[in-house]
Amino acid sequence: MMIDHDKVRVLLLENIHPDAVSRLETEGYHVETVGRALDEDELIERIDGVQLLGIRSKTQVTARVLEAASDLVAIGAFCIGTDQIDLSVAAARGVAVFNAPFSNTRSVVELALAEIIALTRRLTEKNAGMHAGVWDKAADGSHEVRGRSLGIVGYGNIGTQLSVLAENLGMRVYFYDTADKLTLGNAQRCGTLDELLENSDVVTLHVDGRPGNSGFFGEAQFARMRDQSLFLNLSRGFVIDHAALRRHLVSGHLAGAAVDVFPEEPKGRGDEFVSELRGLPNVILTPHIGGSTEEAQADIGGFVAGKLAQFVGEGNTTLSSNLPAIALPQQPGTYRLVHIHRNMPGVLAQVNSILAEHSVNVEGQLLSTRGEFGYLLTDIGIDYSEIVLTKLRAMKETVRLRVVR
Ligand SMILES: NC(=O)c1ccc[n+]([C@@H]2O[C@H](COP(=O)([O-])OP(=O)(O)OC[C@H]3O[C@@H](n4cnc5c(N)ncnc54)[C@H](O)[C@@H]3O)[C@@H](O)[C@H]2O)c1
């Protein structure tokens, strides 16, 4: 398959930033947009003939969707997480997945800091009181964050940046991560989650969405938290037990909470938000807006659209979430064979012997593997016959072959 740029059909769902649309239109692609998430059946209906699909966190790209997507070349997740996409089925069908792992890190960190200060100062209650006409200057239960301890669970892109900024506010930072992580500033690593919970006035979750994290923070963990401590979750909704959080807030054990992500989130604007956390004092509820700033959305839009265009135009897979990462400058005046294959011995030798058999000269070549799959870029002279492509496609290890001009 040789992709003709003015025939590339792009389907962007969930209100993706206009910067993505203009970046893809600059490439000459035909872009269709939908302002909301589509469910599995709706997406199956729309996916036929689409080469590039753009989604955010609410659209599930399941094995069924991928099976119906015979023209699909790549998926852009215009967000941080990619667990809404069946990555291994996508790889097995030769569909590359790209996301924006760093574009909204700062936005999440700033929201977390704002909430830590607002909850510690009980701004939520003072604000609600004032709107109800109540003038209450009492300092009871209001604290400075300076000198208080912050426990960060998950010390990745967001956790580490929060660590640095919280220390600048005078907080003592503890962190717990299941992986080995470089400690920044004066933060202290905890060997166990319990150690972190026992040491923290504020506990904030920034773990990733791996399936093993489902419900990992429940009754036992809330019970371990300090009396009058605060809890924040801006990571994934399914990682905490909301009923347990409610119990600890209602009993007064926890002094407040901020929650941005929920196990069941409304699909669109105007749909009712249902949660056991509604109506509780000193609880800040936000509609999954941790990364939703104009700065982050613009950055994500341009970043992911750029990755899709580079993949279509050059076969470049740098930062792909499911295929081996390769970037190879293309020799001028060559065609590029983009070969996705099962990672088995002898594939490179077979490809090169087919090329040699038909007197096709290799001008540049790069191979990388990732788990079950291999990704091979081969730049060849333009003088090749269709039979070469037919033979490469017929190899039993070939998942997909594409030619880039
Ligand atoms: N609220 C929002 O709008 C919003 C925006 C962006 C990101 N997020 C979410 O924030 C989370 C963090 O993002 P990131 O970019 O920092 O991710 P990241 O992958 O850089 O960091 C996650 C860290 O958590 C650690 N971890 C995973 N499971 C753990 C566990 N059970 N206990 C301790 N550590 C664990 C990992 O080792 C890793 O260091 C993700 O879940 C992401 O989806 C939410």
Side-chain angles (χ1 to χ4, degrees), residues 42-224:
E42 288 174 312
L43 185 53
I44 287 171
E45 241 170 67
R46 293 288 296 261
I47 200 89
D48 189 37
V50 168
Q51 270 109 17
L52 298 177
L53 173 67
I55 59 164
R56 291 171 69 195
S57 53
K58 291 211 174 65
T59 302
Q60 300 291 319
V61 184
T62 60
R64 261 189 78 217
V65 170
L66 288 161
E67 270 149 36
S70 46
D71 297 301
L72 196 62
V73 171
I75 301 170
F78 287 78
C79 51
I80 292 195
T82 51
D83 44 319
Q84 70 281 37
I85 302 168
D86 193 326
L87 292 178
S88 51
V89 173
R93 298 184 62 83
V95 174
V97 177
F98 296 95
N99 65 336
F102 330 114
S103 296
N104 60 12
T105 301
R106 178 65 181 223
S107 303
V108 179
V109 170
E110 289 191 12
L111 180 62
L113 282 172
E115 291 178 335
I116 290 166
I117 295 175
L119 293 172
T120 305
R121 202 62 185 267
R122 300 190 83 84
L123 288 187
T124 52
E125 290 172 354
K126 299 290 180 196
N127 178 55
M130 289 293 277
H131 283 281
V134 179
W135 183 266
D136 170 15
K137 279 171 62 71
D140 304 348
S142 293
H143 299 276
E144 295 181 354
V145 295
R146 179 176 52 169
R148 292 175 86 79
S149 55
L150 173 65
I152 301 174
V153 184
Y155 206 59
N157 296 321
I158 293 171
T160 48
Q161 188 157 161
L162 178 61
S163 170
V164 171
L165 294 185
E167 281 199 341
N168 282 316
L169 287 172
M171 298 192 82
R172 282 178 292 116
V173 174
Y174 294 86
F175 74 89
Y176 170 70
D177 198 296
T178 43
D180 288 331
K181 291 284 166 172
L182 173 71
T183 304
L184 299 184
N186 296 318
Q188 288 183 46
R189 183 189 182 98
C190 296
T192 63
L193 180 57
D194 282 350
E195 184 189 336
L196 176 138
L197 300 177
E198 284 155 15
N199 277 298
S200 304
D201 299 315
V202 182
V203 172
T204 184
L205 303 190
H206 300 286
V207 298
D208 55 53
R210 68 186 72 182
N213 280 343
S214 179
F216 96 102
F217 206 101
E219 177 56 38
Q221 288 67 36
F222 286 118
R224 279 269 181 177

